Amino acid sequence: MNYQQTLRKLLSAAILCFGLYISANAQEDKTFIAPNDANIVYMGRISTTQPGSVRFTYPGVSIMANFEGTSLQMAVKKNSGGFMVEIDNFPAYRIDFGENDSIKTLAEGLPQGIHSARIMYVIEGYELKPAFRGFYLDKGCQLAQAPVLPQRRIEFIGNSITCGYGVESEDPSDPFNYETENHYYTYAAQTARLLNAQHLVVARSGIGIYRNYGAPKSGSRDCMPAMYEQTLFMDSTETWNHALYTPDVVCLNLGTNDMSLDNYDANLLEEGYRKFVKHLRTTYPKAQIVLLTGPLMNGKPLEIVKKALDKIADEHHRQGDTKVYRFDFSPQTGSLAIGASWHPSLRQHMKMASELTPFIQKITGWTTAQH
């Protein structure tokens, strides 16, 4: 190593140490709020098995709190990925935690008083394994009374469309990346906001009801029914407790990946759907279950999926279960632009939400004005 290389290495180390010193001193003037504080409210599947952390992998998981003071900082595991942040009535904005980020300021310079924060995880976290590790408030300040969540509850089970794959792009040639994935803008999150409902998401890009994207015709071991009971995707060590969230409505939006690459078995698709809907009915005896077709299918694959779902819904009706419904999104035409890898754009998701919202209102009697 030559002199210049040595000098640069020593200088980099000094800058890092100085940065850590500044960061540590900055936190001395703050009040730390642990993630298990009773006044923090969570929505979505979370794991609290690791002390000092709340972990999650599915998009849509939300962290909500009311806080005193003029500023708010958020602490997470490094490289946790993207969140959308809403402070008071200001527009939502995105913040991303990279490899060197563990604490970021969400707001400062706020007027003295009580403020609200709603923070939504908006990407798929099964690779990054994100974890929330608490808040920092102005010194001497505390969290105020916990927010009250809406009574209405929806669960969305789906694939990349529900995750928000490519929604922040309008170029179908763009490949997948976390920067253009954003669940906040999806039909699911928008529908929940329009209906003033909580929503829980179990979704992953590429997943199917019996066969994941590109998998053998015979099916996939890690399709949705195999993953559904896990709190964290691809982690079989912790089973989700359904008593923590009992939905009024379950929206099941799968089938697109099962039909991918013209390598599907229609009978296996139908039987996979039949078994999973039966499982959902056992899990949620009173829920309205909506079987959807997404906007990316067309032609023969779409007709096969529609036929299977119609048949399953009809079977439930004949058995006296009238709370299983069918709903088809309008096919994507490109008139509203196309997102990354031919996925729905933000405008297409808006259209989807505008279609699904009145349907849910019809089957539940909900109005958008009710709280």
Side-chain angles (χ1 to χ4, degrees):
M1 183 180 292
N2 61 33
Y3 173 76
Q4 291 295 331
Q5 290 173 320
T6 302
L7 183 62
R8 282 196 296 271
K9 185 175 181 181
L10 291 173
L11 182 59
S12 297
I15 291 172
L16 175 61
C17 290
F18 180 72
L20 292 174
Y21 172 78
I22 293 296
S23 177
N25 280 334
Q27 304 318 311
E28 289 178 3
D29 294 329
K30 301 290 184 179
T31 296
F32 176 68
I33 306 296
N36 64 346
D37 190 287
N39 288 314
I40 299 178
V41 175
Y42 296 93
M43 183 179 72
R45 291 192 179 186
I46 62 169
S47 172
T48 58
T49 58
Q50 287 188 0
S53 291
V54 169
R55 297 178 298 145
F56 38 87
T57 55
Y58 290 113
V61 168
S62 294
I63 306 161
M64 289 154 283
N66 297 320
F67 63 97
E68 301 173 344
T70 66
S71 69
L72 178 68
Q73 292 181 323
M74 178 181 179
V76 302
K77 171 191 169 186
K78 288 183 179 180
N79 204 32
S80 281
F83 299 80
M84 288 291 282
V85 181
E86 296 173 276
I87 302 294
D88 296 336
N89 294 317
F90 290 100
Y93 66 89
R94 179 166 179 156
I95 190 167
D96 288 271
F97 287 83
E99 294 180 355
N100 299 315
D101 303 317
S102 60
I103 299 174
K104 284 198 173 188
T105 299
L106 305 186
E108 64 180 15
L110 299 171
Q112 288 288 352
I114 305 298
H115 302 280
S116 64
R118 181 185 178 110
I119 303 151
M120 179 186 290
Y121 192 63
V122 294
I123 66 172
E124 301 169 68
Y126 63 91
E127 292 181 322
L128 301 180
K129 296 179 172 56
F132 170 61
R133 293 179 173 168
F135 290 123
Y136 287 96
L137 307 180
D138 293 347
K139 192 168 185 178
C141 291
Q142 297 294 329
L143 294 183
Q145 186 174 356
V148 177
L149 296 180
Q151 292 184 347
R152 301 167 178 172
R153 293 181 172 187
I154 308 173
E155 178 170 320
F156 291 93
I157 304 170
N159 50 37
S160 55
I161 299 169
T162 302
C163 290
Y165 181 121
V167 70
E168 290 206 62
S169 167
E170 291 196 348
D171 185 346
S173 67
D174 281 346
F176 172 81
N177 60 56
Y178 290 128
E179 286 73 21
T180 61
E181 184 172 55
N182 194 329
H183 177 77
Y184 185 87
Y185 295 127
T186 63
Y187 77 93
Q190 292 189 60
T191 296
R193 288 194 292 271
L194 288 169
L195 291 170
N196 189 37
Q198 298 182 53
H199 84 291
L200 178 147
V201 178
V202 186
R204 183 218 165 176
S205 291
I207 206 162
I209 194 73
Y210 100 94
R211 173 182 171 266
N212 297 342
Y213 183 83
K217 188 175 183 178
S218 57
S220 304
R221 290 184 178 182
D222 58 344
C223 57
M224 178 57 75
M227 299 288 105
Y228 181 69
E229 294 301 321
Q230 298 176 6
T231 300
L232 305 175
F233 187 80
M234 295 299 290
D235 182 349
S236 61
T237 63
E238 185 177 356
T239 301
W240 174 246
N241 179 5
H242 292 284
L244 296 174
Y245 187 94
T246 304
D248 303 297
V249 180
V250 178
C251 292
L252 182 56
N253 188 2
L254 292 170
T256 303
N257 292 305
D258 300 81
M259 310 305 285
S260 64
L261 306 179
D262 197 27
N263 189 36
Y264 53 83
D265 185 314
N267 292 326
L268 291 177
L269 168 87
E270 181 181 315
E271 188 57 25
Y273 244 116
R274 180 176 288 108
K275 289 180 179 179
F276 190 52
V277 173
K278 182 178 179 180
H279 177 69
L280 290 175
R281 174 52 74 220
T282 301
T283 305
Y284 305 124
K286 298 181 180 180
Q288 319 260 33
I289 299 176
V290 184
L291 310 181
L292 305 101
T293 61
L296 301 186
M297 288 187 290
N298 54 62
K300 184 179 178 182
L302 178 59
E303 291 307 312
I304 289 173
V305 175
K306 282 184 176 182
K307 182 178 178 180
L309 299 189
D310 289 343
K311 185 176 179 180
I312 292 166
D314 183 63
E315 290 171 357
H316 278 265
H317 294 171
R318 286 189 282 108
Q319 295 166 7
D321 181 2
T322 59
K323 292 185 176 182
V324 176
Y325 302 88
R326 283 278 296 108
F327 182 83
D328 301 311
F329 285 115
S330 297
Q332 174 175 274
T333 66
S335 63
L336 297 172
I338 298 175
S341 300
W342 298 91
H343 281 70
S345 66
L346 193 159
R347 285 181 278 161
Q348 188 72 40
H349 275 282
M350 290 174 62
K351 180 179 181 180
M352 294 167 69
S354 71
E355 293 175 341
L356 183 59
T357 297
F359 180 81
I360 293 179
Q361 287 178 303
K362 180 180 178 180
I363 66 174
T364 60
W366 293 349
T367 65
T368 54
Q370 183 180 347
H371 291 268

